Amino acid sequence: MSGFLQQCFNGLVSGGFYALLALGLAVIFGMLGVVNFAHGAFFMLGAFGAYVALAEFGVPFWAALVAVPALLFLFGAVLERTLIRRLVPFDPLYNFLLTFGLTLVLQDLVKREYGVQSQPYPRPAELSGSLDLGLFDYPAYQVFVLAAAVLLCLAVWLILTRTRVGMVVRAATERPELTRALGVNVGRWVTPVFAFGVALAGLAGVLAAPMRAVNPLMGADLIIAVFAVVVIGGLGSVFGSVLAGFAIGLVQSLGNLYVPALSQTLIFIIMAGVLLWRPAGLFGREEART
Amino acid sequence: MLTVEGLNAWYGEAQVLRDVDLAVAEGEIVTLVGRNGAGKTTLLRCVMGLHERCTGRIGLRGDTAFGTRPAHRRARLGVGYVPDDRGIYATLSVEENLLLPPVVGPDPWSLPRVYETFPVLRERRRFAGTQLSGGEQQMLALARVLRSGARLLLCDEPTEGLSPLLVEQIGEILREIKAAGVTVLLIEQNLHFATTVADRHHLLAEGRIVESLDNGAVRAREHELLAYLGI
């Protein structure tokens, strides 16, 4: 029983990473219509940012948790202004290719500097122990990651549903042209929304650094699963992406326990099943974007 | 208020508006009538800045560069748009649908005034916009541009599919805002309704304004016009 619960916990923790990445992808796709293939690379940059900050400058985890996403926000803003924006008016495939190329460039730049082997990153001292969760002990850091992921998703949800900015983002996601015709300067919100998604991926990367292997390919391994999560949740649906993120983490983790042979393919089997049943994903809307 | 000169528009290779001239004075209600595909909706979309493939001059209150501005700037100069599909957001509540457009005119309707005029919108203000019935969505689309205080309304068939009672209510509202000096360019297929609210009517055919009529002329030729429109 405690083994089962522990595995559930493991699943929710990795689901937290799925949810944070899927959330950023969904918001960016909704607002810009861009499938951001570089999202995994931004996640990797977040983890490497934390590693470099500590190894080269002695910046502790907690400071990196704020500084690295802030830097990635700026990076994302520059990227949107200089490259992404120019391709938005054309076929979405162009930005897909651009971000795919960007992924390769970023990965190789990091590889050149630090090689392909994983870099160590210690857990912050405050969270190095375990917590007694009643039925079993669980690493305090993992509990922190889960709580942080849940709170971040909740915060983004509150921003989206309770603020004027969130209302504008929802409106521009649903009907960009009409929203402009109603007097809302949609273009002004595009850069901050993209940069926010990038920063969120970077934050997830910093959170991953102490518990996952920090290497140039860590994002590439994850992003394929995150794409499956986004498709299952419904492309562009923020709520669906987050829910699917946690759910897939959980299912995958239990799959590892009970059907280890399927552990790598389970997520894609689920994706295929969902697409057969609901082609727009669990929370996606049927109509196509115009 | 609004002047359109030499407006041409295309969909791909097909020209859908040909050299359209149109002037609407402040406080006037002018309708566009014509068969489906005559170019009425495209005309409104050109004025709103939503149709890229168009040439010609569009001016608003002496602003001759109005037609070169992006859509959100045009709206902020006091233009309210009620699109043919009503344009109600599913991901916004009824109240958010009302609050989305910024205030763009000197005399916007307050939320209490909107709710007093449309009590059903108050009852359902927390519902998702598209949970309303078709008629209620039409009311919401009209209420939304009134709340923004727009001085020129571009309304694409606001009475389509409404019950006679609701059509009458829309008529009352149009007469009320006309009395307050609001200008309306209205696409309308219901000729009887059009003559009760509007000052002048333009008949569009194959992208051209072929006739301009006053209320007397429309009433006198109602049967002929209805037969032509195929209604």
Side-chain angles (χ1 to χ4, degrees):
Chain A
M1 184 62 193
S2 80
F4 171 80
L5 283 175
Q6 201 157 350
Q7 197 66 7
C8 286
F9 242 80
N10 292 342
L12 288 176
V13 172
S14 56
F17 288 109
Y18 289 154
L20 285 177
L21 289 171
L23 179 59
L25 271 184
V27 174
I28 288 173
F29 179 77
M31 193 77 178
L32 287 84
V34 170
V35 177
N36 178 26
F37 200 88
H39 219 64
F42 299 142
F43 170 79
M44 180 271 292
L45 282 185
F48 255 91
Y51 165 73
V52 172
L54 184 66
E56 309 275 342
F57 307 103
V59 176
F61 172 79
W62 300 105
L65 197 57
V66 178
V68 171
L71 284 173
L72 277 166
F73 185 93
L74 290 178
F75 180 60
V78 170
L79 203 62
E80 196 279 329
R81 285 265 155 181
T82 54
L83 294 173
I84 307 273
R85 167 164 301 220
R86 291 169 201 283
L87 297 179
V88 164
F90 306 111
D91 192 302
L93 216 51
Y94 284 105
N95 257 320
F96 186 77
L97 286 174
L98 171 71
T99 52
F100 182 67
L102 203 63
T103 303
L104 299 179
V105 170
L106 291 173
Q107 276 176 5
D108 280 6
L109 281 177
V110 174
K111 229 186 266 181
R112 229 178 82 137
E113 206 61 36
Y114 299 97
V116 285
Q117 74 275 28
S118 296
Q119 308 293 337
Y121 190 92
R123 288 183 197 174
E126 297 84 349
L127 297 172
S128 58
S130 312
L131 282 182
D132 181 4
L133 295 181
L135 286 167
F136 55 90
D137 284 348
Y138 204 71
Y141 184 76
Q142 263 83 336
V143 175
F144 163 74
V145 166
L146 179 56
V150 170
L151 285 176
L152 279 166
C153 291
L154 202 64
V156 173
W157 182 74
L158 285 175
I159 291 171
L160 278 173
T161 54
R162 300 288 155 88
T163 68
R164 173 140 191 108
V165 177
M167 184 168 103
V168 167
V169 169
R170 274 179 290 145
T173 298
E174 188 180 339
R175 299 280 300 266
E177 181 184 76
L178 174 69
T179 307
R180 284 196 294 276
L182 292 175
V184 178
N185 186 353
V186 173
R188 199 176 66 184
W189 295 103
V190 167
T191 307
V193 166
F194 183 82
F196 176 79
V198 173
L200 209 55
L203 185 68
V206 179
L207 286 173
M211 55 179 285
R212 296 205 171 173
V214 178
N215 67 58
L217 295 175
M218 65 189 292
D221 296 342
L222 195 59
I223 195 64
I224 301 299
V226 173
F227 273 125
V229 165
V230 171
V231 169
I232 290 167
L235 212 52
S237 163
V238 169
F239 180 73
S241 302
V242 170
L243 206 68
F246 282 106
I248 292 301
L250 198 60
V251 170
Q252 217 174 19
S253 172
L254 292 177
N256 283 345
L257 190 63
Y258 294 113
V259 268
L262 285 181
S263 65
Q264 295 304 309
T265 40
L266 190 58
I267 183 169
F268 301 106
I269 296 171
I270 294 172
M271 183 177 84
V274 166
L275 287 180
L276 282 174
W277 172 46
R278 290 184 66 117
L282 293 178
F283 295 91
R285 281 176 297 115
E286 294 287 339
E287 67 256 53
R289 283 177 58 93
T290 50
Chain B
M1 185 74 177
L2 176 72
T3 53
V4 174
E5 290 174 287
L7 187 67
N8 294 288
W10 293 263
Y11 272 104
E13 294 292 299
Q15 188 165 5
V16 287
L17 287 178
R18 294 162 193 275
D19 201 26
V20 170
D21 294 327
L22 180 76
V24 186
E26 183 149 16
E28 237 188 343
I29 297 185
V30 171
T31 70
L32 300 169
V33 292
R35 287 178 180 169
N36 286 337
K40 306 177 303 272
T41 294
T42 307
L43 179 47
L44 289 201
R45 287 174 55 82
C46 287
V47 173
M48 201 62 244
L50 295 177
H51 191 81
E52 283 185 9
R53 302 251 298 130
C54 64
T55 63
R57 286 172 303 282
I58 303 172
L60 184 80
R61 262 180 287 171
D63 174 10
T64 51
F66 177 80
T68 63
R69 305 187 190 286
H72 72 271
R73 289 250 115 248
R74 298 189 198 198
R76 284 178 178 249
L77 288 166
V79 183
Y81 181 46
V82 178
D84 53 349
D85 67 352
R86 303 176 180 116
I88 299 306
Y89 295 91
T91 52
L92 268 59
S93 70
V94 168
E95 189 156 293
E96 286 175 324
N97 267 281
L98 285 169
L99 294 175
L100 180 68
V103 169
V104 296
D107 186 25
W109 284 33
S110 66
L111 214 48
R113 182 175 175 195
V114 168
Y115 286 151
E116 199 179 313
T117 309
F118 307 101
V120 66
L121 298 184
R122 180 183 6 230
E123 275 168 41
R124 316 231 159 137
R125 65 185 183 278
R126 306 220 181 282
F127 284 44
T130 45
Q131 280 178 293
L132 298 183
S133 72
E136 290 161 354
Q137 288 187 35
Q138 199 72 72
M139 294 291 176
L140 179 55
L142 188 60
R144 179 166 65 186
V145 291
L146 296 176
R147 204 214 58 89
S148 78
R151 299 298 290 170
L152 169 66
L153 304 190
L154 306 174
C155 297
D156 200 335
E157 286 211 65
T159 60
E160 191 193 11
L162 296 191
S163 70
L165 205 66
L166 287 178
V167 171
E168 187 43 45
Q169 196 188 348
I170 292 217
E172 271 169 40
I173 291 162
L174 288 177
R175 283 187 287 270
E176 185 183 338
I177 61 174
K178 178 181 160 65
V182 174
T183 311
V184 184
L185 182 56
L186 178 72
I187 294 179
E188 188 53 69
Q189 299 289 52
N190 181 338
L191 289 183
H192 172 71
F193 173 75
T195 58
T196 65
V197 294
D199 302 291
R200 294 186 293 125
H201 313 271
H202 295 296
L203 184 62
L204 254 78
E206 286 162 17
R208 295 176 207 276
I209 293 186
V210 291
E211 270 193 275
S212 297
L213 308 156
D214 63 13
N215 283 328
V218 170
R219 286 198 196 95
R221 292 168 55 192
E222 193 170 345
H223 293 293
E224 175 207 337
L225 289 169
L226 285 176
Y228 169 75
L229 294 172
I231 307 168

